Amino acid sequence: MSLQIQGLSYIHPNKDILFQNISFSISSGEKCAIVGNNGIGKSTLLKILAGLTAPATGKVSCEDAPYMIPQHFGQFNNKTVGEILGVSTKLQALSVILDGRGTEEDFIVLDDEWDIQERISEAFAKWDIDYITPYRMMDSLSGGEKTKVFLAGLDIYHPAIVLMDEPTNHLDAKGRTLLYEFIHITTSTTIIVSHDRTLLNMLSAIYEMSPMGMQFYPMSYKEYKEVVDAETAAKVSRLQNQQKELAKAEKMARKTMERQQKHASRGEKQSAKQCVPRISMGLLRSKSEASTSRLNKVQQEKLSNMNQELREIRASIAECKTLKIDIGNSALHNSKRLVEATNVTFKYAGRDTMWEHRPLNLSICSGERIWLQGDNGSGKSTLLKLIAGVLQPTDGELWRSNPLDVLYLDQEYSCVDNERTVYGLLETCNTKKPEHELKMLLNRFLFTASTWDKKCGSLSGGERMKLALCRLLISENAPDMIIADEPTNNIDISSMDILADTLKTYKGTLLVVSHDEQFVHDVGVERIINL
C-alpha cells in the first residue's frame, strides 16, 4: 500500500469537529479523487496527508513523502519561486561552486544535483512558464502561473505520491491540457480534490467523504455519479413509502385508541344500568385501563420503531447543499455605455508593463454577457480590477459610468475577513437590515445557526464563495454589473449548476473569467473579449 489512513480526525481550534474516524487505504500507482460536499474537510484531509497539518487523532502511513499542489497561494506571496519549490539554496550553492568560491557546506547543500538548473529550465518550459525565473516573487504571478510553478515541481522531483487540491482552478486551456496529459501518463500515486468533471473522469477510483466516513467506488466519476444517483433515488422512494406507512400507522393507532375508549365507556354505562356493585365496577374499570395501557404501549413502540427507521433513512441520504440566490435584475436599460477603455496599460511594481505593445481599447454596454479569455498571465484579473475601479490605469484612459453599481467577486474572496465570524462579517457591512433578516439571509445561503459563530478563516473555499455572495447581496438593489473572476473555482458541482442558473436568469451586465467552458455556456455568454 502506498498510503494508509487510520482513525483520522480533525478538530478546529474552537473545538468544532470537522471530521472524525476516517480510515481508508490507497494502493501504489492508484489515481483517485476525493469528493464530498463543501466544508466536509477534503482540503484539510489533503494537508494532513501531506504532513502540513496535524490531525487530532489517527495516523497516516506513507511509503514516500507526498508532493502537494495547494488550492490557495496567499501564504507564499512573500517567497520567491525558487523558495517555494525548495531549490533556491541549491541554486545558490551551485552558483558559488561554479564561481570557484564553494565551501564544503555548499557541496553538501547541492548534494551532487549538478543538473538542477537544467531540470528547472526543462520543467518550466514544459509547463509553459519558461519566462519565469526562480528569483521571481510569487505575489507577482497570476493564479494560473502559480499553479504551473507547483506543477513544474512534478518534473523537477518526480514524486511517488502526488496530492492536488483543485489543480485546474486557475489554469488556462493549454495548462489544463498539459495537466490532463500528465494524469494520463504518470505512474505516481495521485490523489485529487476537484470539481473538474473532465479531470475526474480520467481517474480510476472515487473516495466519497461524508459525515458517515469514507466510501470507496472503484470507477470513474461519471459511473460513480450514476451509482450514487440510483442509490439516492431508491432511498428517497423508500423514505416516501415509509412516511406513508407511518401516517397510516398513526391514523390506525388513533382509531384503535378511540374504539377502546368508546368500548370502555359503553361497558361502564351497561354495568351501571345492570346495578353492578361499585367494587366490581372498579375492578372492571382497572382491567379496561390496563388493557388500554398495554394497547397504547404496543402502538407507541411500533410508531417509535417506524420513526427511528425513518430517521436512519433520512441520515443515509446525502443532503443536497445547493446555492439558492436571487440576484434580481439591473434597472439600467440595455445598450447604455458603462465602460470605455482607450489605450490602457498597467504596470505592477517590478514587472513589465501589461499590454505595452498593444494597449487595450474596448467598450462595454449594459445588458452584455461577456466572456473574458486569455492565457495565464495575460492580465484578465487585472482588467477586471480596472473595470471594477479597484485599480487605475498606468497609461491611457478608462471611463466608467457614474454611478455604476458593480458586484465584484475576485479569486481570493477578499471581502471575507478571516478574523471575523460568519455572522459578524454580515453585521459589519449592514446598515439597514435587522438581526433576524441577516440570519434569514445566512440560512438562504445554507449557513445554519451552528455556523454563525464560526471564524471565516476556517471556512472551505466553497463556503467562502457563498459567504462572499451573501455579503455582497445585502443591498436591496440588484447590481448594474456582475464581475466574476473564476466563480466556480471552489464550489461543488451541484452548486456550480445552481450558480450558473442564477447568473443566466440575471438581467444585467455580466463579465466573467472562467476556464470552465461548460459553465460559460450555461450562463449564456454572447460576446468574447480575448486578451
Side-chain angles (χ1 to χ4, degrees):
M1 288 294 175
S2 184
L3 268 170
Q4 284 190 324
I5 295 88
Q6 295 177 321
L8 221 57
S9 301
Y10 183 81
I11 301 174
H12 288 299
N14 65 355
K15 307 302 181 185
D16 286 345
I17 297 173
L18 180 60
F19 57 78
Q20 57 186 338
N21 200 29
I22 295 287
S23 296
F24 62 104
S25 60
I26 297 176
S27 302
S28 181
E30 188 174 327
K31 301 174 188 178
C32 62
I34 297 176
V35 302
N37 287 334
N38 285 138
I40 198 67
K42 302 185 294 295
S43 293
T44 300
L45 177 60
L46 281 194
K47 290 177 183 176
I48 292 174
L49 299 185
L52 302 175
T53 298
T57 63
K59 67 176 184 176
V60 178
S61 300
C62 291
E63 294 175 355
D64 301 276
Y67 178 87
M68 181 164 176
I69 297 170
Q71 178 181 4
H72 299 293
F73 307 103
Q75 67 271 35
F76 305 114
N77 281 345
N78 62 344
K79 294 182 180 293
T80 66
V81 168
E83 285 173 334
I84 67 102
L85 286 176
V87 297
S88 58
T89 55
K90 289 184 182 292
L91 288 174
Q92 184 179 4
L94 178 62
S95 177
V96 171
I97 292 170
L98 294 178
D99 198 35
R101 297 179 291 108
T103 64
E104 183 180 351
E105 184 178 345
D106 292 320
F107 282 91
I108 292 172
V109 169
L110 185 59
D111 194 24
D112 284 337
E113 292 190 51
W114 299 97
D115 64 341
I116 184 65
Q117 212 156 23
E118 288 76 15
R119 282 161 42 207
I120 293 170
S121 296
E122 289 174 4
F124 280 25
K126 173 182 174 179
W127 291 97
D128 201 30
I129 50 171
D130 49 355
Y131 56 89
I132 296 176
T133 72
Y135 309 102
R136 182 102 166 250
M137 295 300 295
M138 285 290 285
D139 64 355
S140 71
L141 305 180
S142 70
E145 289 172 325
K146 291 173 183 177
T147 301
K148 288 178 181 178
V149 165
F150 277 94
L151 289 170
L154 297 171
D155 291 286
I156 295 171
Y157 294 111
H158 300 287
I161 302 174
V162 177
L163 310 175
M164 298 186 182
D165 193 358
E166 300 287 1
T168 60
N169 269 2
H170 306 292
L171 290 180
D172 52 25
K174 186 174 181 180
R176 288 192 176 206
T177 299
L178 289 170
L179 176 60
Y180 298 155
E181 289 173 357
F182 169 82
I183 297 298
H184 180 68
I185 65 175
T186 186
T187 57
S188 300
T189 304
T190 307
I191 305 166
I192 298 176
V193 168
S194 179
H195 64 255
D196 181 336
R197 284 162 279 197
T198 301
L199 178 57
L200 291 174
N201 281 315
M202 296 180 70
L203 308 176
S204 58
I206 302 292
Y207 290 83
E208 183 189 66
M209 192 173 177
S210 74
M212 312 298 291
M214 193 72 84
Q215 180 73 33
F216 176 60
Y217 294 84
M219 59 191 70
S220 70
Y221 179 80
K222 182 181 179 181
E223 294 167 321
Y224 151 80
K225 194 72 169 62
E226 290 172 354
V227 169
V228 169
D229 287 348
E231 289 176 349
T232 301
K235 289 175 182 177
V236 168
S237 177
R238 186 180 166 205
L239 176 65
Q240 292 170 343
N241 290 335
Q242 186 70 7
Q243 287 172 328
K244 291 177 183 178
E245 290 299 319
L246 178 62
K248 287 180 183 178
E250 288 174 338
K251 185 177 181 180
M252 182 62 69
R254 286 194 300 270
K255 286 184 176 180
T256 302
M257 290 303 301
E258 288 170 1
R259 281 200 304 270
Q260 185 70 13
Q261 288 169 355
K262 288 178 180 178
H263 179 73
S265 177
R266 283 197 301 269
E268 284 190 14
K269 289 178 181 178
Q270 289 176 356
S271 297
K273 287 179 181 180
Q274 296 172 3
C275 300
V276 175
R278 185 175 297 174
I279 188 169
S280 297
M281 285 181 66
L283 184 60
L284 289 172
R285 187 181 298 112
S286 295
K287 287 182 179 180
S288 176
E289 289 174 352
S291 177
T292 301
S293 177
R294 282 194 303 272
L295 181 60
N296 186 47
K297 184 179 179 181
V298 170
Q299 294 286 359
Q300 289 304 316
E301 285 180 356
K302 181 180 178 181
L303 293 176
S304 177
N305 290 337
M306 293 183 75
N307 271 304
Q308 178 61 30
E309 188 176 354
L310 205 58
R311 284 192 292 271
E312 290 173 358
I313 297 172
R314 284 198 186 102
S316 69
I317 298 175
E319 187 177 1
C320 183
K321 296 287 187 182
T322 55
L323 291 171
K324 299 176 182 178
I325 310 168
D326 181 13
I327 293 176
N329 297 319
S330 169
L332 295 179
H333 64 79
N334 282 354
S335 301
K336 177 183 178 181
R337 190 168 59 115
L338 300 182
V339 176
E340 186 84 34
T342 306
N343 296 324
V344 166
T345 64
F346 185 83
K347 180 177 174 60
Y348 289 104
R351 292 186 63 176
D352 295 335
T353 300
M354 287 186 175
W355 319 304
E356 183 175 16
H357 302 295
R358 195 176 70 173
L360 289 179
N361 290 276
L362 60 88
S363 63
I364 298 174
C365 295
S366 60
E368 288 195 287
R369 309 182 73 79
I370 301 170
W371 181 15
L372 182 59
Q373 290 184 337
D375 294 336
N376 290 141
S378 61
K380 299 185 297 297
S381 294
T382 299
L383 178 55
L384 294 187
K385 291 175 183 177
L386 288 167
I387 293 172
V390 177
L391 297 175
Q392 297 302 319
T394 303
D395 285 305
E397 181 183 356
L398 194 141
W399 177 86
R400 300 169 75 249
S401 174
N402 187 18
L404 179 62
D405 185 11
V406 176
L407 189 160
Y408 175 51
L409 301 171
D410 63 16
Q411 291 183 11
E412 304 298 330
Y413 320 127
S414 56
C415 60
V416 177
D417 184 346
N418 288 340
E419 297 305 311
R420 295 195 179 276
T421 63
V422 169
Y423 177 74
L425 187 76
L426 287 200
E427 204 173 28
T428 58
C429 60
N430 173 57
T431 56
K432 296 180 180 179
K433 292 185 182 293
E435 179 181 342
H436 73 277
E437 285 192 25
L438 291 182
K439 290 180 176 178
M440 285 173 62
L441 187 61
L442 285 170
N443 270 312
R444 264 187 59 208
F445 282 77
L446 307 172
F447 288 101
T448 58
S450 63
T451 68
W452 295 343
D453 293 327
K454 193 176 181 180
K455 280 288 186 72
C456 294
S458 67
L459 298 178
S460 70
E463 289 171 322
R464 289 173 67 83
M465 165 60 85
K466 290 189 287 186
L467 189 57
L469 285 170
C470 187
R471 179 189 183 278
L472 291 169
L473 291 177
I474 284 180
S475 171
E476 297 292 336
N477 300 318
D480 301 321
M481 177 188 292
I482 296 175
I483 297 177
D485 193 354
E486 298 288 1
T488 65
N489 271 0
N490 303 291
I491 57 178
D492 55 34
I493 292 173
S494 61
S495 294
M496 282 171 57
D497 294 337
I498 297 298
L499 181 57
D501 288 342
T502 305
L503 292 179
K504 186 174 182 178
T505 56
Y506 161 69
K507 302 301 181 186
T509 309
L510 176 64
L511 180 57
V512 61
V513 169
S514 178
H515 296 302
D516 189 324
E517 292 189 21
Q518 182 62 51
F519 175 78
V520 171
H521 171 76
D522 290 344
V523 300
V525 296
E526 299 163 344
R527 177 186 171 195
I528 295 175
I529 296 178
N530 209 320
L531 293 185

